[in-house]
Amino acid sequence: MLNLILLGPPGAGKGTQAKLVQDKYKIVQLSIGDMLRAEVAAGSELGRQAKQIMDAGALVSDDLIVKMITSRIAKPDCKNGFIFDGFPRTIPQAEALDTMLKDSGIKIDHVVEMRVDDEAMVSRITGRYTCAKCGAGYHDTLQAPKAGGICDKCGGREFTRRADDNAETVRTRLKAYHAHIAPIAGYYAKNGVLKGVDGMAPIPEVTRQIAAILG
Ligand code: AP5
């Protein structure tokens, strides 16, 4: 079993790397943002509560997030391990995670902090889009599909952009991240599991640095 947390600001490459780790290590990516967006698309009560907050770039309440995670990590596909992408984002979330894991006898093996330059994140995010069919991620200039307009993975021809991927909201999301990250990084540094990677390096190099940590 391998359990991993990816920390990093919006655009750091958490989702990009989590998908690669998922494929290589056969563990499941738990993207809290994707889970919330699925709730929004389904029109659930949780989705209704989360939508406005996400569109504004603020953090959804700890209670809702913790409830969602508690039921998610109990599912059978988590039995080989998981990668948290976008969780925890506050100290109460980190503490709640510890309690959850203690109750089920599971531990976090590595916390990888992706260190990047904020200004570069704005252009990474505003150029990002995903395949509407399989969810593969692309970027207008940094990572375009090999054959223009056709998804490399599934051949899909329709792509979507997130509602919160505009410059103004990205800046609010960056502020929300920085308001909480220092104590969270400190929390995991104290437990001896925190490692850093250079998130400004090209994608394959970041993957290599993460693989070196995971072993
Ligand atoms: P979430 O969906 O988690 O968004 P985020 O944290 O803002 O992160 P992103 O998904 O935008 O960035 P990423 O690091 O995954 O970057 P990516 O790999 O796509 O959260 C959305 C919202 O949900 C939050 O604002 C909040 O409201 C709510 N929420 C979520 N979790 C919560 C929680 N725990 N508590 C409360 N609220 C919560 O990469 C970006 C682009 O860059 C891509 O186009 C990619 O191709 C490119 N790229 C990636 N790596 C590189 C590289 N090394 N070099 C060049 N380009 C690269």
Side-chain angles (χ1 to χ4, degrees):
M1 189 172 204
L2 174 68
N3 300 315
L4 170 70
I5 292 175
L6 288 181
L7 296 179
K14 303 180 297 295
T16 303
Q17 296 298 332
K19 285 186 179 65
L20 296 170
V21 171
Q22 166 173 260
D23 294 346
K24 183 167 176 193
Y25 294 85
K26 308 294 174 225
I27 57 179
V28 67
Q29 173 194 13
L30 301 180
S31 161
I32 314 316
D34 286 351
M35 287 157 72
L36 289 168
R37 283 183 287 279
E39 295 286 342
V40 172
S44 70
E45 178 52 32
L46 193 158
R48 271 194 294 275
Q49 289 180 44
K51 183 172 181 352
Q52 268 191 326
I53 301 170
M54 293 171 75
D55 285 352
L59 292 182
V60 174
S61 82
D62 290 337
D63 280 1
L64 287 183
I65 299 291
V66 169
K67 218 180 282 170
M68 206 170 68
I69 292 291
T70 309
S71 59
R72 184 63 187 88
I73 62 170
K75 295 209 167 140
D77 63 346
C78 290
K79 73 175 188 319
N80 290 337
F82 46 76
I83 312 147
F84 278 126
D85 154 11
F87 176 85
R89 291 197 198 214
T90 63
I91 286 290
Q93 290 182 15
E95 289 170 346
L97 177 63
D98 272 358
T99 308
M100 263 180 248
L101 297 182
K102 226 174 264 162
D103 289 349
S104 32
I106 299 171
K107 72 175 177 50
I108 295 294
D109 299 294
H110 305 282
V111 178
V112 177
E113 185 181 7
M114 307 186 64
R115 296 177 181 146
V116 290
D117 166 47
D118 272 13
E119 262 322 295
M121 297 307 102
V122 179
S123 66
R124 273 195 194 175
I125 287 188
T126 50
R128 169 174 68 179
Y129 56 95
T130 53
C131 171
K133 201 165 147 200
C134 74
Y138 296 100
H139 190 279
D140 291 328
T141 53
L142 301 169
Q143 198 191 4
K146 290 186 186 86
I150 302 173
C151 175
D152 296 344
K153 283 210 170 151
C154 75
R157 288 169 182 268
E158 285 193 24
F159 298 88
T160 56
R161 289 182 194 260
R162 275 168 45 178
D164 59 345
D165 276 356
N166 56 78
E168 194 191 332
T169 309
V170 172
R171 288 185 204 285
T172 310
R173 284 159 57 196
L174 285 166
K175 266 194 207 136
Y177 175 81
H178 289 295
H180 295 279
I181 188 54
I184 292 179
Y187 186 82
Y188 289 114
K190 211 170 57 195
N191 296 346
V193 288
L194 183 73
K195 313 263 164 49
V197 297
D198 175 13
M200 295 305 292
I203 292 171
E205 169 57 18
V206 182
T207 308
R208 196 198 60 72
Q209 290 184 20
I210 294 175
I213 292 170
L214 304 189

